[in-house]
Amino acid sequence: MNKKSDNPYENLERIFHEPKRLAMIAAIAESEAGLSFSEIKEACELTDGNLNRHLKLLEEEKIVIAKKAVSGNRARTIVRLSAAGRRKFVKYLEALELALTQAAQSMGSKSKSKASVLKGVTA
């Protein structure tokens, strides 16, 4: 076995693993059209500054695409996952699932169902 499959924690990308960024990506991933800045802010309970900081990091990593658009008299920022960001997030979720499964097994989990929580998720 290679090192990555022996240690699932190595595949837990830090860019996703921070709790507020994980919440943001999960919320954004639910909407194919993306979410507005204010929708993300409300859903994840973030301040403007905190959300801006996280979005900047996610944009630098090419995980999200933020586009400014004018709606009526107001400027709106719409954020959506990039194709590469979606693929990276699915890989992260798979690694997280493996790490959690191994942790549950090491704790003697008696769960008979081994159905993947990612069933139906596509890249």
Side-chain angles (χ1 to χ4, degrees), residues 10-52:
E10 287 184 16
N11 296 324
L12 296 176
E13 287 196 48
R14 189 174 184 95
I15 192 73
F16 296 121
H17 209 64
E18 195 283 329
K20 290 296 184 178
R21 278 196 299 268
L22 178 58
M24 289 170 58
I25 294 297
I28 295 165
E30 289 181 24
S31 174
E32 223 173 281
L35 294 177
S36 70
F37 184 92
S38 59
E39 289 170 324
I40 299 167
K41 178 182 166 184
E42 184 179 321
C44 301
E45 300 178 348
L46 293 164
T47 64
D48 287 352
N50 207 312
L51 178 52
N52 272 322

Side-chain angles (χ1 to χ4, degrees), residues 1-7:
M1 285 182 139
N2 66 32
K3 190 173 185 179
K4 285 192 180 245
S5 61
D6 287 344
N7 187 352

